[in-house]
Amino acid sequence: MQLILMGPPAAGKGTHAAELVKKFNIPQISTGDMFRAAVKEGTELGKKAAECMKSGALVPDEVTVGIVKERLAKPDCSNGFILDGFPRTVEQADALEKILSDSGKKLDKVLNIHVPAEDLIERAVGRRICKTCGATYHVKFNPSKKDSVCDNCGGELYQRADDNADTMKNRLSVYEASTRPLIEYYKKLGKYTEIDGRQPIGKVTEDLVKVLSSVKN
Ligand code: ADP
Ligand code: ADP
Ligand code: ZN
């Protein structure tokens, strides 16, 4: 099953991708996670991505498409994948169509988690992530049992450097200008389904699974 999980910054893509990974046993491919790992390791890719991420701008398309192409060629993607945070521009979407058609694959579904702009800053600013296992929490909407400690693994929770109100404003305007047009793009391809992301986490997951149960493997 080849899926895209779309949505504005902090809509819940990562949270729900993690649930779908468990349910459907296909990998989550998060360009944001890949860039953060590269920044941490100090690789060439990390150097290219760091400045853009800090300001909330997009990493250039050719860089982003390159890492996704490499990732999709790995054997664990042969039964499907969940793209989380990619594509974010029409150019990336076109490149993805080409990558897939070159390997005889096609997209099954594009799921858009819809959350209104006024909720997104609070979601981002309250987001906390485990340093060890990457689990995502929210100080108000999905708190860990013990402050700053991961329920899964006991790891320390941190706040992403770009999860502040200023950078978020920029990320939201980048979303409006560059990523929102993908809604029309995928509607035209007949692959688009919107999910109400304002519901509690468990209900959003349930709605996603319901849509996907009609998709053939
Ligand atoms: P994205 O990957 O789209 O940036 P995340 O999955 O990291 O978003 O979620 C952003 C923040 O919002 C996290 O702190 C997460 O715990 C919280 N969150 C996710 N889904 C919901 C929801 N349905 N209701 C309330 N908070 C949510
Ligand atoms: P969120 O969904 O919460 O905005 P991500 O982790 O998906 O966060 O992305 C963090 C940052 O990484 C983005 O603001 C951007 O700088 C970069 N990034 C992630 N995915 C892409 C992409 N597909 N194209 C360009 N830049 C990206
Ligand atoms: Zn953890």
Side-chain angles (χ1 to χ4, degrees):
M1 193 157 53
Q2 276 88 232
L3 308 175
I4 295 176
L5 205 48
M6 267 184 26
K13 302 180 295 294
T15 299
H16 295 98
E19 293 304 313
L20 299 179
V21 164
K22 284 188 234 161
K23 178 95 190 153
F24 297 101
N25 203 22
I26 47 178
Q28 168 190 10
I29 300 176
S30 159
T31 40
D33 286 351
M34 289 158 89
F35 288 137
R36 274 184 292 279
V39 170
K40 201 167 155 197
E41 284 162 23
T43 62
E44 276 309 307
L45 173 67
K47 284 177 200 149
K48 282 185 197 155
E51 278 305 307
C52 304
M53 295 177 84
K54 208 169 149 193
S55 70
L58 294 180
V59 178
D61 285 334
E62 64 274 19
V63 175
T64 308
V65 167
I67 63 163
V68 171
K69 189 174 179 182
E70 250 175 52
R71 182 66 188 85
L72 291 179
K74 299 247 161 83
D76 65 332
C77 294
S78 60
N79 284 327
F81 49 79
I82 305 163
L83 285 166
D84 156 10
F86 178 93
R88 264 174 148 97
T89 64
V90 168
E91 289 72 18
Q92 292 179 13
D94 284 340
L96 177 64
E97 287 295 307
K98 169 114 180 41
I99 293 168
L100 293 177
S101 68
D102 284 352
S103 55
K105 290 181 181 166
K106 62 168 184 54
L107 280 175
D108 292 303
K109 263 279 167 233
V110 178
L111 295 152
N112 187 36
I113 304 179
H114 174 77
V115 178
E118 63 263 28
D119 293 356
L120 294 168
I121 292 187
E122 187 180 19
R123 285 207 185 177
V125 172
R127 169 161 49 193
R128 298 292 182 273
I129 300 167
C130 174
K131 270 186 183 164
T132 310
C133 75
T136 300
Y137 298 87
H138 190 281
V139 289
K140 184 165 152 196
F141 304 127
N142 184 25
S144 58
K145 291 197 182 81
K146 208 171 146 211
D147 247 7
S148 309
V149 180
C150 177
D151 294 348
N152 291 343
C153 76
E156 187 190 337
L157 305 187
Y158 79 100
Q159 184 174 21
R160 270 169 48 179
D162 59 346
D163 276 344
N164 59 71
D166 266 356
T167 308
M168 238 338 242
K169 281 183 195 141
N170 198 22
R171 286 157 63 195
L172 290 172
S173 61
V174 168
Y175 171 80
E176 289 301 327
S178 304
T179 310
R180 187 183 284 285
L182 292 178
I183 294 178
E184 279 311 310
Y185 183 103
Y186 287 116
K187 271 186 184 166
K188 277 192 194 135
L189 292 182
K191 311 241 159 119
Y192 180 84
T193 302
E194 192 162 288
I195 303 288
D196 181 2
R198 286 166 300 183
Q199 309 174 93
I201 293 176
K203 181 69 175 67
V204 176
T205 303
E206 211 179 276
D207 283 4
L208 289 164
V209 170
K210 215 180 277 171
V211 172
L212 294 176
S213 61
S214 65
V215 174
K216 293 227 161 36
N217 269 310

